[in-house]
Amino acid sequence: MKIIAAYLLAVLGGNASPSAADLKAILSSVGIEAEDEKVNFLLTEVKGKDLTELIASGREKLASVPSGGGGGAVAYSAPSGGAGAAPAAAAESKKEEKVEEKEESDDDMGFSLFD
């Protein structure tokens, strides 16, 4: 990614076809040593291609990649405590919710250093 970022910086800076030395100079300016193999591989892959077309084709490829959020269902079995276990658990969760509400209401009049 660092080499790609250096390539993009060079192209956006006005160098339509940056060389390996250009990319290494950009990376070394921020203290990164670039591997010759990776720099040369990138340059051979993008040689003769338009940057905007490369970005557009990359977006199309990324659009087909599924991206999280679904989470999936988690199987959970309730403890075998009989019928009385469920109401007790519900009562405990209500108590916990009340305790959390009290903790959130600070006496700082709505101002906080980290909000």
Side-chain angles (χ1 to χ4, degrees):
M1 289 300 292
K2 296 171 189 173
I3 299 170
I4 295 171
Y7 178 81
L8 292 172
L9 284 171
V11 172
L12 293 173
N15 188 350
S17 59
S19 66
D22 295 331
L23 298 181
K24 288 180 184 179
I26 292 170
L27 292 171
S28 67
S29 71
V30 291
I32 298 172
E33 289 185 33
E35 296 178 23
D36 291 333
E37 298 167 0
K38 292 182 180 182
V39 171
N40 291 331
F41 177 74
L42 174 71
L43 292 175
T44 56
E45 290 294 314
V46 298
K47 185 176 182 178
K49 297 180 182 175
D50 183 40
L51 181 62
T52 56
E53 291 175 7
L54 287 172
I55 292 173
S57 68
R59 283 186 180 170
E60 290 174 10
K61 290 177 183 178
L62 283 176
S64 66
V65 175
S67 58
V74 177
Y76 176 77
S77 61
S80 59
E92 276 186 350
S93 66
K94 287 182 183 178
K95 288 179 185 177
E96 289 177 13
E97 289 176 13
K98 289 179 183 177
V99 170
E100 289 177 355
E101 289 175 12
K102 290 178 183 176
E103 291 176 356
E104 291 177 359
S105 63
D106 294 331
D107 294 328
D108 61 359
M109 296 175 36
F111 299 100
S112 176
L113 181 63
F114 300 104
D115 280 344

